[in-house]
Amino acid sequence: MQDKVYAGGDASSVPLMGKSAEPTIFELSAKGRTAFSLRTQEVPVRDPKETVPESLLREKVVELPEVSERDLVGHFTRLSSRQYAVDLGAYPLGSCTMKYNPKFADQVATTSGLYDIHPLTPDSHAQGWLELMATLERYVCEITGMAEATLQPAAGAAGELTGLLIMGAYHRSYGRKRTKVIIPDSAHGTNPASVTLAGYEAVTVPSNDRGLVDLEHLRKLLDDDVAGMMLTNPNTLGLFEEEIHQIAEAVHSVGGLMYYDGANLNAIIGITRPGDMGFDIVHSNLHKTFATPHGGGGPGAGPVAVTAELAPFLPGPKPALVMEDGIERYRWVTPQASIGKVHGFFGNAVVLARALSYMLYNGFDGLKAVSQYAVLNANWLRKMVSQRYDIPYSQTCMHEFVASAQRLRKEGGVKALDIAKALLDNGFHAPTVYFPLVVDEALMMEPTETESLQTLIVLAERLNALAELATTKEGQSQLHEAPVNTPTRRVDEALAARKPRLTFDQPANH
Amino acid sequence: MNLPENLRYSKDHEWVRPQAGSQVVRVGITDYAQDALGDIVFVGLPKIGSTVESGDALGEVESTKSVSDVFAPVSGKVVAVNTELESAPELLNTDPYGDGWICDIEISGSGEVESLMTPEQYADFID
């Protein structure tokens, strides 16, 4: 008999306390109550009208919540204990990469001198920061196989827009007017959005029956109107585009550029590089691949790296090592044909420091091992659940794979959403569901490099047990009810979207 | 799967209802499409008077899962739209062939309706 396996990433034991709803901070508010007050006797209270121009004064007092410090701390601490969090347990969420924030990177981010410097500090007084950024640019280029980079873009989507603006500037420099950008049907939703924002028409190329770009179809779409193609490799099905050289050659043959969406870069670091595949522009999601908090809205960083030919168009200013009076110094330099700034200052700078520290901590071999473990773990989990779930594209995957709950839905009415919600009751975060769109009832899983074998064993057992449950009448109704252990039960997403409540009405007794 | 006999179907999962003696056809999305999309929360309608070619984006439907284009199954001019959908997008889920219709199109050419799939052909197509 096998001993019980204890998973490090199993959050079943977390005391998610209480079933009653936490009130909003506004409902805890009582008029006149404050969390902190200065002893004001020594400082005279002045009417704002004496010092602030009337045109700038509010007509009504702003309705902020008024709570004591004790109530404030209690409220947010209770909310934090009701969340599934990366520091609690495993997160098989697909297309999101890092699910763990290394603690040394937190320490780096709070190093005095790195975080307490004003962004307007002259470059002569910020040589350390400039050196850090120049070094990171170099490492990003080495990892992606590009010549030059900008660290400005605030995240992946900002990087996409930056890359497309560079693409446009490049074509204009040759007097070409290009109108279309090609995108596969399995692309991230941000790709067509960025293409539209950059003023291009998005043209979709379908996947073939192996889940890869249909090369013959692509060739038919290529003409003199095509500015380039955006591609994620491995793609969102977790599959490596095996014909990438032929794809790049075809796009280049009509003068188009190849754009690499770096969302899945963590599958290939140290093994291959976008530059070697034939890409011209690459964005890298530092917050997905290199030790920056994932989820919760940021902050992110989406450096864009390009070939030497495109380097003059990069946003500026960039740190550059120059010789002045026989001394080497870092200065801010703007590339000659720069598309301009894409961020107020220098991007989310502390995120950049975290990324560089992660690269240095792991070293080249370590980063390669990260990719190898990410791919190994994904393939192991894929195999372990492949009896109970259909895997529509079943070749060896990269860092993630996509299963389908289509069979469960047809046989017993249990959807991908039900499995995802029930997994929350079982100590694990839900996988990504209903993406990519080319798979029905998609369950997209990415265990990442950080989960132990024990955690993966327990995760696979729970996933398989849920599929088993979906075959019985009683199990089906249980799954439709899930989650039952979480402080908030299943929310009515459709109602929330159809009739959104976007404001909070102050209670009458406020 | 509900596939009314008197309708024609497109590969992009729209239905067309021809009316005897009229060039105006009614257009909507199929039961299969609404089931695959899930709970629909927003419908973007075409403009009355706009002309569309078969295969053009006619409007869009947003569900809790995704945003998808609705494609024109035939070429012609949009002569009426179902404004009920603005406040009640769920009609696409509950009654895709009836109250959940999307628009009426006055057909410009001929033969386009006949070239669409019959219920039997569409049933094979989605199987």
Side-chain angles (χ1 to χ4, degrees):
Chain A
M1 205 178 109
Q2 202 186 352
D3 290 336
K4 181 171 167 45
V5 175
Y6 294 96
D10 178 1
S12 296
S13 63
V14 171
L16 296 166
M17 292 183 302
K19 291 285 178 199
S20 60
E22 175 68 16
T24 66
I25 190 79
F26 292 98
E27 287 164 301
L28 293 173
S29 178
K31 201 164 176 55
R33 194 170 284 171
T34 55
F36 183 79
S37 59
L38 291 167
R39 297 177 63 80
T40 54
Q41 289 95 324
E42 294 157 25
V43 182
V45 174
R46 305 255 303 263
D47 188 335
K49 280 179 191 148
E50 292 173 30
T51 51
V52 179
E54 205 177 324
S55 63
L56 297 178
L57 286 172
R58 293 182 64 93
E59 286 168 16
K60 265 172 62 184
V61 173
V62 62
E63 293 177 344
L64 293 174
E66 298 175 83
V67 290
S68 70
E69 182 177 314
R70 207 264 161 273
D71 288 352
L72 181 70
V73 170
H75 173 69
F76 286 110
T77 306
R78 284 194 299 275
L79 285 179
S80 74
S81 76
R82 293 171 170 223
Q83 295 289 338
Y84 197 101
V86 286
D87 281 352
L88 274 184
Y91 236 81
L93 197 65
S95 206
C96 293
T97 318
M98 285 197 84
K99 315 294 168 41
Y100 178 67
N101 299 317
K103 297 308 162 200
F104 73 84
D106 288 348
Q107 206 171 348
V108 168
T110 51
T111 304
S112 167
L114 273 184
Y115 80 89
D116 57 3
I117 187 165
H118 195 280
L120 288 174
T121 306
D123 52 13
S124 58
H125 289 62
Q127 288 290 298
W129 252 116
L130 270 72
E131 185 183 349
L132 187 158
M133 294 170 79
T135 308
L136 181 60
E137 280 184 3
R138 224 170 48 240
Y139 287 7
V140 167
C141 288
E142 178 57 35
I143 288 168
T144 56
M146 292 286 127
E148 296 255 7
T150 172
L151 303 177
Q152 276 186 22
E160 289 177 28
L161 181 62
T162 304
L164 289 162
L165 293 175
I166 291 171
M167 196 183 276
Y170 163 81
H171 285 303
R172 274 196 304 280
S173 76
Y174 283 99
R176 295 179 196 147
K177 188 169 163 45
R178 301 270 168 140
T179 56
K180 297 187 290 198
V181 173
I182 296 175
I183 290 171
D185 58 4
S186 62
H188 294 111
T190 48
N191 290 177
S194 300
V195 165
T196 308
L197 197 59
Y200 292 106
E201 183 194 345
V203 180
T204 305
V205 58
S207 304
N208 60 24
D209 55 11
R210 300 188 67 225
L212 304 171
V213 169
D214 185 334
L215 186 57
E216 284 318 302
H217 198 112
L218 172 67
R219 289 207 167 103
K220 284 182 207 148
L221 296 175
L222 291 171
D223 57 28
D224 288 348
D225 290 331
V226 172
M229 177 176 191
M230 296 181 89
L231 202 59
T232 313
N233 194 18
N235 67 19
T236 57
L237 291 162
L239 305 176
F240 193 83
E241 295 285 352
E242 293 159 5
E243 294 181 303
I244 186 60
H245 283 128
Q246 291 93 317
I247 292 169
E249 203 178 292
V251 172
H252 287 150
S253 74
V254 294
L257 296 177
M258 289 292 290
Y259 182 96
Y260 183 90
D261 177 332
N264 298 337
L265 186 66
N266 65 312
I268 61 161
I269 303 168
I271 296 156
T272 182
R273 309 187 300 176
D276 302 336
M277 299 177 203
F279 285 94
D280 306 287
I281 308 172
V282 178
H283 89 251
S284 162
N285 304 65
L286 293 188
H287 54 289
K288 282 185 153 193
T289 315
F290 302 105
T292 301
H294 167 265
V304 169
V306 297
T307 58
E309 192 184 6
L310 298 173
F313 304 108
L314 282 170
K318 279 161 51 63
L321 196 58
V322 296
M323 191 69 97
E324 287 175 358
D325 308 326
I327 301 169
E328 282 191 326
R329 284 200 184 86
Y330 284 96
R331 293 286 186 215
W332 292 119
V333 175
T334 299
Q336 56 159 96
S338 175
I339 59 163
K341 285 189 140 198
V342 296
H343 196 288
F345 287 99
F346 314 112
N348 291 321
V350 178
V351 173
L352 304 176
R354 289 179 65 101
L356 181 63
S357 70
Y358 184 77
M359 291 175 188
L360 291 169
Y361 174 86
N362 281 293
F364 181 80
D365 290 352
L367 290 177
K368 187 176 176 180
V370 163
S371 288
Q372 289 170 326
Y373 278 112
V375 171
L376 179 64
N377 286 354
N379 276 292
W380 192 91
L381 187 64
R382 178 177 62 85
K383 276 281 184 196
M384 291 300 283
V385 302
S386 62
Q387 296 297 315
R388 295 279 178 196
Y389 297 86
D390 292 328
I391 315 284
Y393 303 98
S394 57
Q395 61 263 48
T396 302
C397 67
M398 297 296 287
H399 62 301
E400 65 190 355
F401 68 95
V402 181
S404 170
Q406 183 75 336
R407 195 172 10 138
L408 303 181
R409 187 179 175 190
K410 272 197 177 140
E411 288 168 7
V414 170
K415 301 178 183 179
L417 187 70
D418 302 318
I419 298 291
K421 297 288 186 191
L423 198 59
L424 292 172
D425 278 340
N426 282 272
F428 291 95
H429 194 277
T432 297
V433 289
Y434 302 112
F435 182 81
L437 302 174
V438 290
V439 173
D440 285 327
E441 296 296 327
L443 288 156
M444 186 192 207
M445 303 195 209
E446 181 175 8
T448 79
E449 69 286 353
T450 37
E451 298 312 328
S452 66
L453 179 61
Q454 288 85 344
T455 296
L456 294 178
I457 289 170
V458 175
L459 174 59
E461 279 174 4
R462 305 260 167 93
L463 279 165
N464 286 332
L466 291 175
E468 176 72 34
L469 201 59
T471 61
T472 66
K473 272 267 171 290
E474 198 192 340
Q476 286 153 13
S477 49
Q478 269 181 46
L479 288 166
H480 289 141
E481 288 292 306
V484 293
N485 293 334
T486 53
T488 300
R489 298 283 300 275
R490 194 176 298 203
V491 293
D492 188 340
E493 290 172 65
L495 181 69
R498 284 171 188 157
K499 298 190 167 53
R501 259 186 72 188
L502 303 175
T503 56
F504 179 80
D505 298 321
Q506 296 281 11
N509 63 356
H510 180 73
Chain B
M1 197 59 61
N2 180 11
L3 296 173
E5 272 303 310
N6 56 343
L7 306 183
R8 290 294 188 126
Y9 301 86
S10 77
K11 276 196 245 176
D12 296 311
H13 310 289
E14 287 86 25
W15 55 259
V16 168
R17 178 175 291 132
Q19 300 172 69
S22 168
Q23 280 292 94
V24 176
V25 296
R26 183 151 281 191
V27 172
I29 64 167
T30 66
D31 191 22
Y32 175 86
Q34 72 77 21
D35 185 59
L37 288 165
D39 291 325
I40 290 161
V41 297
F42 174 80
V43 182
L45 296 166
K47 281 200 178 71
I48 292 182
S50 58
T51 54
V52 288
E53 289 289 321
S54 150
D56 285 356
L58 188 62
E60 60 180 23
V61 286
E62 183 177 340
S63 74
T64 51
K65 293 181 199 170
S66 66
V67 181
S68 310
D69 280 329
V70 177
F71 296 99
V74 290
S75 308
K77 190 164 99 175
V78 177
V79 292
V81 297
N82 184 4
T83 51
E84 286 288 310
L85 296 176
E86 287 168 0
S87 57
E90 61 272 21
L91 289 173
L92 278 186
N93 292 121
T94 55
D95 193 8
Y97 300 114
D99 290 344
W101 65 282
I102 290 176
C103 66
D104 287 343
I105 294 179
E106 189 180 305
I107 296 176
S108 51
S110 62
E112 274 193 344
V113 173
E114 291 71 23
S115 69
L116 293 169
M117 284 181 274
T118 63
E120 294 74 29
Q121 287 167 333
Y122 183 66
D124 284 344
F125 177 70
I126 59 177
D127 190 31

